Amino acid sequence: MEWIKPGINIDIIGKRFIAYVFSAILIAVSLVSLVMHGGPKMGVDFAGGAEMIFKFETLPTAQEVRSALATIGLEKATVQETHVEGQTEFLIRTDVADGKGSDIAEQIEAVLEQTLGTGVELGKVDMVGPQVGKDLKEQALMAMFYALLFITVYISGRFELKWIPPLVMALAIIGVAYFMDKFDLGIPAQIAVALVIAVAGFWVLKLQYAMGAIVALIHDVIITVGVFSLVGKEFNLPIIAALLTIVGYSLNDTIIVFDRIRENKTRHTRRALDFIINRSINETFSRTLLTSLTTLVVVVCLYLFGGSIIADFAFALLIGVLIGTYSSIFVASPILLAWQKASGEAA
């Protein structure tokens, strides 16, 4: 079956400014949402607290459970209905301090029985202390930072045969991040400064492929985090795993297009870069579209039928696959052309 005929010639490069505006709007909305909500909504994994599962003899509604929790000052607790082996349970997350998890679980069990008038069984209690949550958050952010950093080293070596300059720059950035840690700036501030230094370094070292890849990856992560902020979903360790998966997926699509650009540059040495990029994107368009659609089918099935435990993970992948596919076509490759025009050199 052939969905897209060979030899198509969609003027993608000609529409890149529309894509820039669209991306800028998405990023602006994401950042505004994050600022208005005071940053991402951290789950128990990162903020610390208790996570409990309760079973009921007579199943209440989620709103009834929330109303019962509000009577003991837990109106901000997250209540999530789950279905395990044909049985409906409620997952309740609170931000109680460490050392009080068992107490709060017993207190919640008592108030649910009293308020709802039904038998309640406490199934499971997981508790994360504030310091453990802070350490997990820092480790997760550093994992994403190092992943992005060494991806750029790989891109530079693969497409521009420059291994030493990006490797030295990566080590220098790690040194700067370590130095900033002494001033207790916080991991997000350190990563922001390090990424600014990285983009400036790519410009100075003329690593245009790495710059295109890193801009596209940052674009994907910011928008995915922004969508989570807009819909009020929590960040936890599975979501960090989803973000790293999104980075890998988006990078895979970007590398396919970059490979074709490199091949076409040797075939069409007299043609302008915008022609080569446009031709390369069109030649890989069918592969990109089919791969994304088949991946989306799997992710949508996970989201709809995988249960509430992995629903947020699947939701993050759903947003990431859509944004990653878009960025590999409309962001990563056009950055090469923007870099050439800005620097006044042939890429």
Side-chain angles (χ1 to χ4, degrees):
M1 182 174 63
E2 193 173 57
W3 290 8
I4 299 177
K5 301 294 182 184
I8 62 167
N9 185 25
I10 304 172
D11 185 16
I12 293 171
I13 289 298
K15 298 177 175 58
R16 66 186 186 280
F17 293 109
I18 299 175
Y20 290 161
V21 172
F22 180 64
S23 292
I25 291 173
L26 291 180
I27 291 173
V29 170
S30 299
L31 294 178
V32 168
S33 175
L34 287 168
V35 170
M36 290 181 65
H37 291 92
K41 184 181 179 182
M42 295 298 176
V44 172
D45 291 346
F46 298 138
E51 183 177 278
M52 298 150 281
I53 292 178
F54 290 95
K55 302 174 183 176
F56 296 83
E57 288 181 2
T58 304
L59 191 66
T61 65
Q63 185 54 46
E64 289 174 333
V65 175
R66 292 190 186 96
S67 299
L69 294 176
T71 62
I72 54 173
L74 295 178
E75 57 275 0
K76 293 183 179 179
T78 301
V79 178
Q80 188 175 1
E81 190 174 323
T82 65
H83 304 276
V84 180
E85 297 178 351
Q87 186 172 10
T88 301
E89 303 170 340
F90 277 95
L91 177 67
I92 298 176
R93 299 187 180 97
T94 73
D95 57 354
V96 294
D98 57 340
K100 299 180 180 177
S102 299
D103 296 341
I104 197 67
E106 293 171 0
Q107 191 178 354
I108 290 175
E109 185 177 7
V111 78
L112 289 176
E113 281 186 339
Q114 182 180 1
T115 307
L116 302 176
T118 182
V120 180
E121 179 186 350
L122 176 60
K124 179 183 175 185
V125 179
D126 288 326
M127 190 171 62
V128 178
Q131 185 57 46
V132 174
K134 181 183 177 185
D135 292 344
L136 286 173
K137 182 171 65 178
E138 292 181 352
Q139 290 169 6
L141 288 172
M142 292 309 293
M144 292 199 63
F145 168 64
Y146 284 119
L148 291 173
L149 200 58
F150 285 103
I151 280 171
T152 59
V153 175
Y154 167 74
I155 293 289
S156 299
R158 178 182 172 94
F159 292 100
E160 299 172 279
L161 302 179
K162 296 177 181 177
W163 289 99
I164 301 301
L167 186 58
V168 171
M169 189 180 72
L171 294 174
I173 291 174
I174 292 172
V176 171
Y178 177 79
F179 179 76
M180 287 190 295
D181 188 48
K182 300 299 180 185
F183 293 94
D184 197 26
L185 289 178
I187 296 297
Q190 293 177 39
I191 292 178
V193 172
L195 287 176
V196 170
I197 295 173
V199 172
F202 296 149
W203 177 269
V204 173
L205 295 173
K206 300 179 181 179
L207 304 175
Q208 61 265 43
Y209 284 95
M211 181 179 290
I214 196 73
V215 169
L217 294 179
I218 294 172
H219 168 279
D220 298 346
V221 171
I222 289 176
I223 293 175
T224 304
V225 173
V227 171
F228 259 65
S229 174
L230 283 170
V231 298
K233 288 187 175 295
E234 291 183 347
F235 265 82
N236 48 37
L237 287 175
I239 302 306
I240 295 297
L243 289 177
L244 289 171
T245 305
I246 292 167
V247 167
Y249 182 88
S250 177
L251 183 66
N252 182 55
D253 262 355
T254 301
I255 285 177
I256 295 294
V257 178
F258 280 1
D259 256 337
R260 189 57 59 92
I261 291 173
R262 184 177 56 177
E263 292 170 5
N264 282 332
K265 284 176 73 175
T266 61
R267 292 173 186 164
H268 308 283
T269 55
R270 296 180 181 276
R271 304 303 297 261
L273 183 60
D274 54 352
F275 169 85
I276 292 172
I277 292 176
N278 207 55
R279 186 183 182 95
S280 302
I281 294 175
N282 276 282
E283 288 176 352
T284 56
F285 194 71
S286 176
R287 179 262 174 207
T288 300
L289 194 60
L290 288 174
T291 303
S292 298
L293 286 175
T294 50
T295 306
L296 278 175
V297 169
V298 175
V299 174
V300 168
C301 288
L302 279 176
Y303 181 70
L304 293 178
F305 308 114
S308 56
I309 299 298
I310 62 170
D312 287 351
F313 176 81
F315 181 75
L317 289 182
L318 183 63
I319 302 300
V321 170
L322 291 172
I323 294 298
T325 303
Y326 161 80
S327 71
S328 67
I329 296 172
F330 290 102
V331 177
S333 300
I335 289 290
L336 301 181
L337 188 61
W339 183 92
Q340 184 198 49
K341 292 183 180 298
S343 64
E345 298 180 21

